[in-house]
Amino acid sequence: MPLPFLTADRAFDQAADDLPLPYDDRHRWRRPYRPGPWRVGAAALLLLLASYVLFAAVIIAFTGTMQGAGMVLGIGLVVIAGALRLLRMGVWVSARGLRRVGFFGTGTAPWERVVAVRTVQQPVRWLGLPRTVQGQALILVRKDRAPEDVPPLLTTHGADFLARPVAFDRAADTVEAWAAEYGRG
């Protein structure tokens, strides 16, 4: 079963460097980078845990009560949903705007409200934990909000770009190119 949210479009990898927006259908939401190894590894561990939980639900169904099996099955389904949501997290772009998908919520900024998208040097959170380190962040400046109210879109020490500075630069350049193309409103 193909999971389109796991990979960025192949056109992005095959595009020439002088084409910042190599997509044919620009109205489709897409993530302009691949999920990082930390994010994919965490999701794989969650799916492994879910397989054990689902196997336990089958064993409970054969040996115990259906109520207990149903409860364990529900826990397994919640773990699977969490792993899929973890893989879907990130920044998505289209001709309509810029979307930041978090674990518990999604926020969309139409290009008409975007003033700028730029890379800055600042303290960033390491893998989303409270510990901060010096790094780069891609920030969004909006017309309707103060810059400090908007969390960074991407950071060099996030789950997608930890120890992958070239991938961060490429993703930041692509998001900035989308903003330059559509953010003229």
Side-chain angles (χ1 to χ4, degrees):
M1 174 172 77
L3 300 174
F5 52 83
L6 280 181
T7 61
D9 286 346
R10 301 286 181 215
F12 179 76
D13 292 334
Q14 298 167 355
D17 291 333
D18 58 332
L19 295 174
L21 307 176
Y23 305 110
D24 293 331
D25 183 13
R26 295 185 182 190
H27 293 285
R28 190 176 139 227
W29 289 102
R30 63 188 75 243
R31 180 176 25 207
Y33 58 91
R34 296 181 190 278
W38 289 91
R39 184 175 311 281
V40 173
L45 287 176
L46 283 174
L47 291 174
L48 180 66
L49 174 67
S51 70
Y52 286 116
V53 172
L54 293 176
F55 186 67
V58 170
I59 291 174
I60 291 172
F62 284 131
T63 61
T65 65
M66 285 298 167
Q67 181 182 11
M71 190 168 65
V72 173
L73 175 69
I75 291 170
L77 293 177
V78 167
V79 171
I80 290 171
L84 292 177
R85 186 65 180 185
L86 184 67
L87 288 172
R88 188 146 174 85
M89 289 173 56
V91 175
W92 296 71
V93 292
S94 82
R96 292 175 289 211
L98 187 134
R99 181 173 286 173
R100 183 177 186 271
V101 178
F103 192 77
F104 293 112
T106 299
T108 302
W111 291 121
E112 295 83 32
R113 294 185 188 159
V114 173
V115 175
V117 176
R118 62 178 171 252
T119 305
V120 296
Q121 188 83 15
Q122 69 180 29
V124 296
R125 295 172 68 175
W126 184 77
L127 289 177
L129 299 172
R131 178 179 177 224
T132 59
V133 295
Q134 192 64 26
Q136 290 183 333
L138 184 69
I139 60 167
L140 172 68
V141 180
R142 295 178 56 161
K143 291 179 184 175
D144 56 348
R145 292 191 188 162
E148 55 271 358
D149 293 341
V150 180
L153 298 173
L154 307 170
T155 66
T156 53
H157 290 79
D160 290 321
F161 302 109
L162 187 64
R164 296 176 52 212
V166 174
F168 173 80
D169 291 339
R170 188 172 183 184
D173 290 344
T174 303
V175 174
E176 288 172 358
W178 278 84
E181 178 74 22
Y182 291 104
R184 298 180 189 142

